Amino acid sequence: MKFLTEYRDEALAQKYLHKINEIVTQSWNIMEVCGGQTHSLVKNGIIDLLPDQVNMIHGPGCPVCVTPIHIIDKAIYLAEEKDVILCSFGDMLRVPGSKRSLLDAKADGADIRILYSPLEAVSLAQANPDKEVVFFAVGFETTAPANALSVIQAHQMKVENYSILTSHVLVPPAIAAVMNDEESKIDAFLAAGHVCTIMGISEYGPLVDAFKIPIVVTGFEPIDLLQGIFMVVTQLENGQVSLENQYSRVVRTDGNQKAVKMIEEVFEIQNRVWRGIGEIPLSGYEVRSKYQNYDANKRFDVNITSAEENSDCIAGQVLKGIKKPIECPQFGKKCKPEFPLGAPMVSSEGACAAYYHFHQASAVLEPAT
Amino acid sequence: MTNLNMRLSCPMPKLDFDRITLGHGGGGTLTNQLLENGVFKLFKNDLLDTHHDGAIIDIQGPLAFTTDSFVVSPIFFPGGDIGDLAVNGTVNDLAMCGAQPKYLSLSFILEEGLLMEEFWDILLSIKNASEQAGVQIVTGDTKVVEHGKGDKIYINTTGVGSIYENAQISMDRVKEGDAVIVSDAIATHGISIMSVREGLEFESDIQSDTRPGIHLDEKMIPIEEQVKGACEMLGLDPLYVANEGILISIVDTEQAEEIVENLRTHSFCSRAAIIGKVVSEHPRQVVIRSGIGGRRVVNMMVGQQLPRIC
């Protein structure tokens, strides 16, 4: 398949591994920000093919994982309202709230629909004028344009029974938060290619300067990741600190301005609480007051502002790269995809799920039957 | 609609109703009319024609016996419909036991309001598929549920077949060094259904239900380019997408090539391939060699596959 096969080429992968092996002289901790990259690294077996000195640390770039528990509780509450259809991307459904998940609520009869695009939710609202359709708008900068577009479209078409429940977070403040954490041991970052496709790369230069760390904007295919790692290790070994773009076939320096304009039209940047991490200043999008009729937080009077986390879950430390999933005492024991303690075990971008499902040394065998 | 050729020679009988009503499952005249003019006429055979409470069958020797329910939505999809699926699914299960499929039961749960024309098309599909597989439908049942309490039509089929004389298909016979063969490209069935579906549900087909380990090679697993593309786009792992009609067999390595060649002569198995082998290194684990030479585990799927955010 064009643009795919060539980025999964075994000979090329071996070549990059060889080159990384040749130049590396000491241990480096490299954080891949995005959970999609984590999954690609584990699923393709890259973390075990890299030399021991290259330690990949998995970052907070899993939108499902960092959505605060009280917002999930809120989504469940709304879904169980009589006249509400709650729409969500699929991998939000298994994430545990304080008591239940959306999947549990669905099984109990709540009208919850799995969609691929928020625009489908707008159509659903048009088709069901007697219902309130709420889209659970979760994600990083990558999904923000489509969510913004759904609000713009609903506004233009005068669809008045549509709203979004946002949990939108931003990558650059998260990188700063990771670097500001006293326990952080990160030497360099692979930035998330998809996010930069929308936003461009200009936000990352100041981070490189402020924290004196190399950042390489990187894609998601095995060859992308290996090339990104090679570029980062080259900088580290040469004592360089700069911003580079490995994913230049997709990411333009100024991103996708049309998409950015849509985001700016609908959203404004505000402080955000990240599940497991806490509040990060100016790290998320909220719906502007101009569009408050489409903001589920304003539209529905639901007073759920906090909820208890399971104290056995170390998701926060995993998300900040302080601990690896297998260092959690509950990994594969009390915490499994069937009964997760935290979101990273069930999200398709969660680091715990990646290790649980794909990593041979970490995979947990079910008892013999 | 499916079965155009079939319909030309087998037009829908006059059934007085355009849609299924609650009365069609009530056991009265409407049920009778549906059975007499539809089901009995279409599936006519000596055992069914007795109109008894059950079929009395005479088979010698060991039997395979299986049952399956079909709730697929949409009921018509590219390449088939719920009718042929209901026959082929149970026939396949019998074949996997090493049996020659012989007889099927056929039970419908119909939702009030189902178009009679759609029901007729499904009946024709069932007839077609059962004739192709050489099975007879010998008993059955029809129930109708209120509108909103079903999803157009659910079908259950139960099948019996007689075991081939030398068939010994059993996990106990799997030994180190055996080859793993897949009969055709994977994931096509699941993706073709999804391509016309709004909501999403999946069946799991990959299981690590073995004592020794299995080593697979990702590059060797046949998959259609467009199926691969759809999986990439939707964020699904093709190993976990439904594979109705595809079989995985574990065979002695010395016979593996010959078996693959034989399979490939069959029109449904043109992409049959050896995809891995049975190993002792990682007991009870299925490990796959990734396209770039890394390794990962293939675990049992938890619940259903859910499409991801980005």
Side-chain angles (χ1 to χ4, degrees), chain B residues 64-76:
Chain B
F65 177 44
T66 187
T67 188
D68 212 341
S69 298
F70 299 83
V71 296
V72 67
S73 170
I75 56 177
F76 297 95

Side-chain angles (χ1 to χ4, degrees), chain B residues 44-65:
Chain B
K44 193 171 173 44
N45 62 60
D46 290 346
L47 291 171
L48 189 64
D49 291 351
T50 62
H51 297 191
H52 206 325
D53 283 345
I56 298 163
I57 53 183
D58 183 14
I59 307 182
Q60 303 300 316
L63 291 182
F65 177 44

Side-chain angles (χ1 to χ4, degrees), chain A residues 360, chain B residues 174-178 180 210-216 276-287 295:
Chain A
Q360 198 186 348
Chain B
V174 173
K175 60 182 189 306
E176 191 186 341
D178 281 354
V180 180
T210 58
R211 294 302 165 263
I214 290 190
H215 191 88
L216 300 176
K277 62 183 177 193
V278 178
V279 296
S280 57
E281 286 102 70
H282 37 78
R284 295 178 50 230
Q285 268 190 338
V286 179
V287 173
R295 288 173 142 219

